[in-house]
Amino acid sequence: MDVIVDLQYGDCGKGKVAHFLCQTQKYTHVLRYNGGCNAGHTIFHKGKKFITHHIPAGVFFGVRSIIGSGCVLDPDQFFREIKMLQEGGVSTKGKIFIANNTHVITAAHKAEDKKSGGKIGTTGRGNGPAYRDKYGRTGLRAENVKSLRPYLVNLYKEWFTPTRLERSQRIKILAEGAQGFGLDIDWGDYPFVTSSHCTTAGALLNGLPPTAIRSVWGVAKIYETYVGSKEFQPKGAVFDRIGDVGEEFGATTGRRRQCNWMNMQTLERAIRINGVTHIVFNKVDVLRAVGTWAVIDKNKIMKFGTEKAMNDFIVKRLRSLGISRNRIYFSESKEKI
Ligand code: IMP
Ligand code: MG
């Protein structure tokens, strides 16, 4: 299994990395391992823009795609997305599955979240209430929803009784996380967090042993963004400019994302706790257009004269954390890493 994990507050471009890995590696499965339709994956496929909330990137390549037991699923949204993909020319038939023990987001969950989620600025998609009911042992599982029956799989059987074809190829999973380290229920800035496990460990909760992990692709942005009700963006016109140039609006709610420089300590924590082996920094082209190079290191803003000076600084820091240069990607395109 390769894991894709977001090192900041979501929206770092995991969809693009998933899309890239699906094209360059041969996976038998793509697994969405946490979160619900609070997530918004923006994917550019064959020149067309798609936004998915539930459905993993694997469907774009005809790879068996599973919404795992670490997720919560809104059946209405699920069926809307299948329709949207089909209308966009992406066939999902026989390619998209839901773990039978995935919990379901109900209409009541959504209504509650819309009413009370404002305090921390949730996406209002029913995520928190659905997870609360799961852990309160009063939730509803996908296996008990009639309309979902045709899509159900048992993850134990899926991973441990491969078909003949899969046995010869061995199972190869791409695990796609949602949200990000700074929103993680345990490691994020509580209570301004989501209700699921956004770390690499969260991938394992979908019936997979730790020894299954091969690579961990950490995804970051060269600056940070956050959507929610805490104050995040410092004063300064440059941050509005980053938001404008970077088109920083939520893929799920359309809210403007707050912007700040990349925080090196957040990044270090996320790299260590997630066991990152490869790292992609997205949206370098945005900072280049804005023309200011800076990070926050040890609570101080550190400015750089050139892009190269900043990249060198980052690479040096990452190498001290055991990530070699050829596993660090500075990406400046919407379609490739
Ligand atoms: P919830 O996940 O809808 O409960 O929202 C909790 C917090 O996580 C809010 O600050 C949301 O804006 C944020 N959030 C949830 N999902 C995403 C995402 O996919 N990208 C960015 N922020 C998110
Ligand atoms: Mg997103």
Side-chain angles (χ1 to χ4, degrees):
M1 169 165 69
D2 292 334
V3 182
I4 296 179
V5 66
D6 184 300
L7 306 176
Q8 293 158 341
Y9 302 86
D11 309 314
C12 287
K14 293 180 288 296
K16 183 178 76 175
V17 177
H19 201 257
F20 164 80
L21 286 176
C22 281
Q23 279 170 300
T24 51
Q25 306 282 325
K26 286 204 161 38
Y27 295 110
T28 55
H29 295 78
V30 176
L31 165 74
R32 250 297 295 280
Y33 67 79
N34 75 292
C37 50
N38 45 353
H41 265 15
T42 308
I43 293 172
F44 288 85
H45 183 70
K46 295 187 179 159
K48 254 196 220 155
K49 178 175 170 177
F50 291 91
I51 295 180
T52 65
H53 301 280
H54 275 314
I55 296 185
V59 288
F60 291 96
F61 301 96
V63 181
R64 209 171 157 81
S65 296
I66 301 183
I67 295 166
S69 54
C71 299
V72 285
L73 177 104
D74 174 358
D76 299 342
Q77 177 58 34
F78 176 74
F79 288 114
R80 263 201 298 279
E81 238 163 86
I82 287 189
K83 188 160 168 266
M84 179 270 294
L85 288 167
Q86 251 144 17
E87 284 169 1
V90 180
S91 166
T92 56
K93 212 159 185 264
K95 293 294 168 207
I96 173 82
F97 301 91
I98 303 163
N100 54 5
N101 52 349
T102 301
H103 273 252
V104 167
I105 301 171
T106 64
H109 291 147
K110 286 186 270 188
E112 181 186 341
D113 196 17
K114 282 202 189 84
K115 215 168 120 211
S116 61
K119 275 191 289 263
I120 69 144
T122 70
T123 58
R125 299 302 171 98
N127 207 62
Y131 278 111
R132 179 203 57 213
D133 285 354
K134 167 178 171 170
Y135 289 102
R137 292 161 294 182
T138 57
L140 177 68
R141 280 179 160 188
E143 61 196 352
N144 297 317
V145 177
K146 198 165 159 225
S147 62
L148 298 179
R149 291 251 165 93
Y151 298 94
L152 298 182
V153 290
N154 174 316
L155 285 184
Y156 178 69
K157 286 197 187 138
E158 194 71 28
W159 308 143
F160 296 101
T161 35
T163 64
R164 212 173 297 129
L165 175 72
E166 284 165 340
R167 189 175 297 135
S168 65
Q169 290 186 342
R170 302 197 58 183
I171 284 187
K172 275 182 121 185
I173 305 164
L174 177 63
E176 238 183 84
Q179 287 82 49
F181 186 76
L183 295 171
D184 178 80
I185 184 76
D186 292 319
W187 296 102
D189 184 15
Y190 195 90
F192 299 97
V193 294
T194 191
S195 298
S196 68
H197 300 283
C198 312
T199 56
T200 301
L204 300 177
L205 297 174
N206 292 263
L208 292 154
T211 46
I213 296 177
R214 178 177 69 175
S215 304
V216 177
W217 286 74
V219 188
K221 235 169 357 195
I222 201 74
Y223 52 89
E224 287 182 359
T225 62
Y226 158 85
V227 224
S229 60
K230 75 174 171 186
E231 222 172 280
F232 183 81
Q233 182 170 315
K235 289 216 162 31
V238 69
F239 301 110
D240 282 333
R241 184 130 160 74
I242 291 173
D244 289 340
V245 176
E247 295 174 47
E248 295 296 351
F249 295 90
T252 299
T253 57
R255 287 179 289 177
R256 195 177 170 100
R257 298 175 182 144
Q258 301 185 57
C259 301
N260 199 352
W261 305 122
M262 178 163 76
N263 187 306
M264 295 305 291
Q265 275 65 53
T266 308
L267 189 74
E268 278 169 26
R269 268 200 299 279
I271 288 172
R272 287 182 162 136
I273 289 177
N274 286 301
V276 169
T277 60
H278 297 68
I279 187 163
V280 180
F281 292 97
N282 281 319
K283 292 203 160 177
V284 173
D285 52 321
V286 172
L287 221 46
R288 195 179 293 151
V290 171
T292 310
W293 300 97
V295 299
I296 295 173
D297 193 28
K298 303 180 183 112
N299 296 319
K300 282 204 197 77
I301 296 174
M302 210 173 150
K303 289 212 169 161
F304 300 88
T306 61
E307 174 177 350
K308 182 170 182 306
M310 180 156 134
N311 288 5
D312 288 349
F313 170 84
I314 293 169
V315 166
K316 191 166 169 220
R317 184 66 61 85
L318 296 183
R319 289 184 56 191
S320 77
L321 294 169
I323 305 177
S324 57
R325 178 66 190 93
N326 61 348
R327 291 178 168 192
I328 304 170
Y329 299 78
F330 291 96
S331 169
E332 49 191 71
S333 145
K334 281 183 174 157
E335 311 215 10
K336 44 182 207 290
I337 70 168

